[in-house]
Amino acid sequence: MTGWLITNAFVDAPLFGEHFDMLIAAAKKRGIALTRKTNAELLLGCDNLPDFALFWDKDIRLANMLERQGLRLFNTAHAIEICDDKALTHLALKGTVKMPETYIAPKTYEQVGYGDYGYLEPIAERLGFPMVIKGCFGSFGAQVFLAKSRREMRDIAGLMGVKPFLFQEYIKSSHGRDMRIYVVGGKVAAAMIRRSLDGDFRSNVTNGGSAESTEPPCEYTEMALAACEKLRLDFGGVDILFGTDGEPVLCEVNSNAHFKALSKCAGVDIAGKIIDYIALTDLQSV
């Protein structure tokens, strides 16, 4: 069995490389030849396709092109595209799982911008302060802000420029902590509670937070599995907030969630679970 691990040619942070090495090593251990290819290498396509591709990038156009050539991607182009855009994720999961009250900023254009910020007032009235403002694209807590007043709301909206973003209810009971549940093939592989160590309302381990392995309650597990099923993810990381009464509130879903910290604290070979799932998938029936 042969496969490609497709990565971005222009992202070379060590943390990414560590994850790629773990996936390649897991594949080799199982007798699968997994070769790393970048999106730049594949921009002209390729005549000799492998059996599958582990698509660890967000180059949706390339993903769609490869699928049109008949290559099975893990995750699929559709799943990656929905997860990459927080607004699309919210729309896809609305009515399926509980999420913070959310409003998507109206679209504007380059050279036009927002000449009138009057649209902010009804959102301020609905959500109150503080409120969370997020860019629709971004990882590791980047482009995620906490606005504590109308002035801060206006300043952050101005900082976002013309990029897509959204406004979200602040879940005070989950300040600085959340639960990351990693799902592979419709099953929970491992879970951890993440906590901020500096008072930040975000809990990302990459930003210096702590991680502790946990056994998620049934309602948290059910939410993570329902979200991944709805989004048609082969695998992914589901981030869940702690509601006022301890109920799960979905924060976001990541199609290419990093797993090194979770693998370490939970003692679970998540890279191996991903490769095992791929190996057992009937590639002809998908």
Side-chain angles (χ1 to χ4, degrees), residues 69-271:
Q69 288 184 270
L71 184 59
R72 171 61 158 100
L73 304 186
F74 298 84
N75 284 295
T76 66
H78 174 78
I80 295 171
E81 182 175 20
I82 297 296
C83 290
D84 188 37
D85 185 330
K86 294 178 178 63
L88 292 182
T89 304
H90 174 77
L91 293 171
L93 293 178
K94 194 170 184 178
T96 298
V97 298
K98 182 175 182 178
M99 295 179 285
E101 187 174 354
T102 300
Y103 299 98
I104 301 168
K107 181 179 176 63
T108 188
Y109 301 90
E110 292 283 354
Q111 311 305 323
V112 176
Y114 291 105
D116 181 359
Y117 283 92
Y119 77 90
L120 296 176
E121 185 55 31
I123 299 173
E125 290 292 333
R126 285 289 187 91
L127 296 181
F129 296 95
M131 71 169 67
V132 176
I133 302 178
K134 294 180 178 180
C136 288
F137 302 95
S139 304
F140 310 116
Q143 296 294 301
V144 180
F145 305 94
L146 191 65
K148 300 177 182 177
S149 66
R150 280 174 168 78
R151 179 168 182 172
E152 287 188 3
M153 181 188 188
R154 166 66 176 78
D155 289 345
I156 294 169
L159 180 66
M160 291 295 186
V162 300
K163 297 177 181 178
F165 66 101
L166 51 80
F167 305 87
Q168 228 168 37
E169 172 191 6
Y170 166 60
I171 307 299
K172 183 179 180 180
S173 53
S174 199
H175 184 99
R177 65 191 183 108
D178 69 5
M179 183 182 295
R180 159 68 61 84
I181 300 179
Y182 216 104
V183 176
V184 181
K187 298 178 181 178
V188 171
M192 64 180 174
I193 293 177
R194 307 184 297 182
R195 291 184 175 86
S196 168
L197 298 178
D198 59 4
D200 195 321
F201 75 102
R202 300 166 298 179
S203 59
N204 302 71
V205 174
T206 308
N207 294 337
S210 68
E212 177 186 351
S213 177
T214 189
E215 186 68 35
C218 290
E219 60 267 36
Y220 282 72
T221 294
E222 290 169 0
M223 174 175 282
L225 296 179
C228 288
E229 181 180 10
K230 182 70 174 182
L231 299 176
R232 293 185 283 173
L233 283 166
D234 295 305
F235 58 86
V238 183
D239 298 339
I240 301 177
L241 304 174
F242 300 96
T244 304
D245 297 318
E247 76 280 10
V249 181
L250 189 132
C251 179
E252 60 184 64
V253 183
N254 305 277
S255 63
N256 300 93
H258 284 181
F259 50 77
K260 181 182 176 182
L262 179 53
S263 290
K264 182 177 180 180
C265 75
V268 176
D269 180 13
I270 294 177

Side-chain angles (χ1 to χ4, degrees), residues 18-74:
E18 291 171 358
H19 283 81
F20 302 153
D21 290 345
M22 292 169 73
L23 289 164
I24 291 171
K28 183 177 180 181
K29 184 177 179 180
R30 291 157 175 80
I32 297 173
L34 186 63
T35 304
R36 185 175 172 184
K37 295 279 188 179
T38 70
N39 58 334
E41 289 178 85
L42 297 172
L43 66 89
L44 298 180
C46 183
D47 293 328
N48 300 312
L49 298 177
D51 297 314
F52 70 91
L54 184 49
F55 203 91
W56 215 272
D57 192 22
K58 297 178 180 179
D59 192 334
I60 303 302
R61 294 168 183 81
L62 173 62
N64 276 300
M65 182 185 79
L66 292 172
E67 285 184 337
R68 287 176 180 273
Q69 288 184 270
L71 184 59
R72 171 61 158 100
L73 304 186
F74 298 84

